[in-house]
Amino acid sequence: MDYRHEWKHEINASDLIALRRRLRAVMEPDSHGAGGTYFIRSLYFDSLTDRALRQKLDGVDRREKFRIRYYDLDPSLIHLEKKSRWNGLGQKRSASLTEEEARAISEGRVEWMASCRDPLVWELYGKMRTQGLRPRTIVDYTREAYVFGPGNVRVTLDYDVRTGLACTDFLNPRCVTIPAGDAPIILEVKWDAFLPDLIRDVVQLEGRRTAAFSKYAVCRMYG
């Protein structure tokens, strides 16, 4: 997969209402969830020295992070994902996991990964062995997503960010999470080769500039 362009903006509730109205006028809601809205739960990994967290906070240009993710607390579709950043561009690779495989990884039972044929699962296994990667925290939030064909544009509005503190039992729907402080609403805009002027105009907000916000970093402040 090629690298994609990516903008992030921290916005407030008034911005959300205005953007929602504009986006619905020119874009299609994502086919996932009701009206493009769904709940996301992710389990993030980091090294014993918190390498991913420190690189994010230090603004390191080339970095990566691993997570396991599923939607609306439905374990029938679980993905292992690796997000990479380089020169301001983003790339995401993913692999499907069964519920048992995801649970085994979260519990530290990883021997089976050594013989897995999926290269991303094998890569995570190698880095768990050599770099000490391990599950660190749960990150929950609600997402509204909109898509636009030309440019392969995807606009998302993420809010109600919650942290599982040090809990990594992310397949347990009763796992306790708490609000991640005063985490803002996050507007993300992603596209391939070009961003159509129509979408560029729609997402413009006075006084809002791109920001390197990380839901993982915010949630790690609490555990």
Side-chain angles (χ1 to χ4, degrees), residues 18-175:
L19 277 171
R20 182 182 286 146
R21 183 174 61 251
R22 295 186 209 165
L23 292 169
R24 288 176 178 175
V26 299
M27 302 182 73
E28 294 293 329
D30 191 312
S31 58
H32 299 91
T37 300
Y38 47 93
F39 175 80
I40 295 177
R41 168 165 287 181
S42 300
L43 177 64
Y44 280 82
F45 293 73
D46 212 333
S47 70
L48 297 174
T49 58
D50 289 331
R51 180 180 178 183
L53 176 61
R54 293 179 182 277
Q55 287 184 338
K56 176 62 180 180
L57 296 177
D58 292 342
V60 174
D61 180 62
R62 192 160 197 163
R63 59 186 186 269
E64 65 182 31
K65 60 187 175 187
F66 287 85
R67 67 193 179 202
I68 300 176
R69 169 170 290 189
Y70 68 130
Y71 305 89
D72 294 325
L73 297 178
D74 179 3
S76 65
L77 181 64
I78 304 175
H79 288 136
L80 167 64
E81 297 180 346
K82 175 187 175 182
K83 286 204 69 177
S84 303
R85 293 279 297 176
W86 179 70
N87 198 26
L89 301 175
Q91 180 192 62
K92 182 172 70 175
R93 295 169 51 207
S94 65
S96 296
L97 295 175
T98 66
E99 182 177 357
E100 178 53 37
E101 289 170 342
R103 179 173 287 107
I105 294 174
S106 68
E107 294 175 353
R109 295 182 284 111
V110 299
E111 293 76 12
W112 64 272
M113 298 171 69
S115 58
C116 181
R117 294 186 177 182
D118 190 288
L120 188 57
V121 174
W122 194 88
E123 180 182 352
L124 175 60
Y125 172 75
K127 290 180 177 178
M128 293 179 79
R129 289 301 194 190
T130 61
Q131 298 180 11
L133 284 190
R134 60 187 174 118
R136 294 306 301 262
T137 193
I138 293 169
V139 176
D140 287 348
Y141 56 94
T142 298
R143 165 166 287 179
E144 289 183 35
Y146 301 86
V147 295
F148 191 76
N152 190 24
V153 182
R154 182 176 173 84
V155 177
T156 57
L157 301 164
D158 297 340
Y159 46 87
D160 294 338
V161 181
R162 301 177 65 87
T163 174
L165 301 175
C167 176
T168 59
D169 187 15
F170 83 122
L171 287 172
N172 179 0
R174 293 180 297 278
C175 177

Side-chain angles (χ1 to χ4, degrees), residues 7 22-23 26-27 148-153 155 189 191 193-205:
W7 282 347
R22 295 186 209 165
L23 292 169
V26 299
M27 302 182 73
F148 191 76
N152 190 24
V153 182
V155 177
V189 185
W191 70 97
F194 69 98
L195 179 62
D197 289 340
L198 173 63
I199 305 302
R200 188 185 299 269
D201 292 341
V202 164
V203 300
Q204 289 301 315
L205 292 167

